[in-house]
Amino acid sequence: FKSGDKTYQVKADANNIGTEIAADKTVSGAINFELPKDVKSGEFSYQPVTFGKDKPKILATWKISIPNNK
């Protein structure tokens, strides 16, 4: 999750989706982040883990609004 010049990683110890998203498939579940209270919007990007010489690529990005961040 990116907001301004800051990037926040998925909260590793949370109960996240935990599965790879195959091409032309969907998954559902929660993805958890710890964000400061002043973060009201940003972009969430899907970037699968790659192995070997392949460089990770961002495959999708969503604009997110958090109007009630408490």
Side-chain angles (χ1 to χ4, degrees), residues 37-68:
K37 290 182 180 183
D38 63 340
V39 172
K40 301 294 182 195
S41 64
E43 292 185 343
F44 173 74
S45 296
Y46 174 63
Q47 182 176 8
V49 175
T50 58
F51 300 97
K53 295 179 183 178
D54 293 337
K55 294 191 177 191
K57 296 178 187 172
I58 294 175
L59 301 182
T61 300
W62 297 268
K63 292 186 181 204
I64 306 293
S65 176
I66 312 168
N68 296 320

Side-chain angles (χ1 to χ4, degrees), residues 6-22:
K6 302 257 184 182
T7 299
Y8 302 92
Q9 300 298 320
V10 171
K11 189 175 178 197
D13 62 347
N15 185 16
N16 294 305
I17 291 173
T19 188
E20 188 173 319
I21 304 171

Side-chain angles (χ1 to χ4, degrees), residues 23-34:
D24 299 320
K25 300 292 181 185
T26 62
V27 297
S28 62
I31 299 176
N32 298 279
F33 294 89
E34 283 189 25

